[in-house]
Amino acid sequence: MSNRGARMVEAMQLRGVTKQHALAFAMGVNESTVTRWKNNGPISVDHAVLLCHTLDVSLDWFLTGRGRIDGHKAAAAGDSDESRLLTCIRRAEARMSERSKAHLIAFITSLCPEVSDL
């Protein structure tokens, strides 16, 4: 069975996160922190939850190696298209620069001017 660091690397590869500095930036931590986790070093519960949210993987799988990498999605399988869209946007947001976010907001606002009131 792999260790937590190996599972983190597997999740990064699966999600297309090829640079650990990009993951560090998305999570708001130092790159050296990500390196420590990658080397199976200590991780706080808060950071483990944030990491799993950022990489969209099961917390149980990440911490213990039990279950499936996408085990957290089983409970959400009945989600609506709207909920799935919001999940996709949240995942994309974690990887976007502030400039990209501003462009996306401008694009959506151009399609739906009523959104600018929110």
Side-chain angles (χ1 to χ4, degrees):
M1 177 179 272
S2 64
N3 64 36
R4 190 174 15 85
R7 288 189 295 276
M8 184 179 113
V9 171
E10 180 182 344
M12 288 174 65
Q13 291 170 345
L14 182 67
R15 299 301 183 225
V17 180
T18 57
K19 306 287 184 189
Q20 63 186 52
H21 70 267
L23 178 61
F25 179 79
M27 293 182 63
V29 299
N30 291 321
E31 187 175 353
S32 62
T33 302
V34 173
T35 300
R36 185 178 67 240
W37 298 338
K38 202 171 167 181
N39 292 325
N40 209 37
I43 185 170
S44 71
V45 172
D46 288 341
H47 279 139
V49 170
L50 180 60
L51 176 70
C52 290
H53 176 76
T54 302
L55 293 176
D56 191 27
V57 299
S58 163
L59 181 64
D60 187 41
W61 172 83
F62 172 66
L63 291 175
T64 68
R66 290 188 303 247
R68 296 177 28 176
I69 193 169
D70 61 352
H72 64 295
K73 292 182 179 183
D79 283 354
S80 67
D81 284 342
E82 181 180 335
S83 178
R84 288 186 9 240
L85 176 62
L86 290 173
T87 299
C88 276
I89 290 171
R90 285 186 192 109
R91 263 190 250 148
E93 180 185 23
R95 296 182 177 106
M96 295 172 75
S97 68
E98 292 302 316
R99 183 174 180 211
S100 294
K101 289 176 192 177
H103 285 298
L104 180 58
I105 290 168
F107 172 70
I108 292 171
T109 303
S110 73
L111 295 175
C112 309
E114 67 275 11
V115 172
S116 64
D117 298 333
L118 300 177

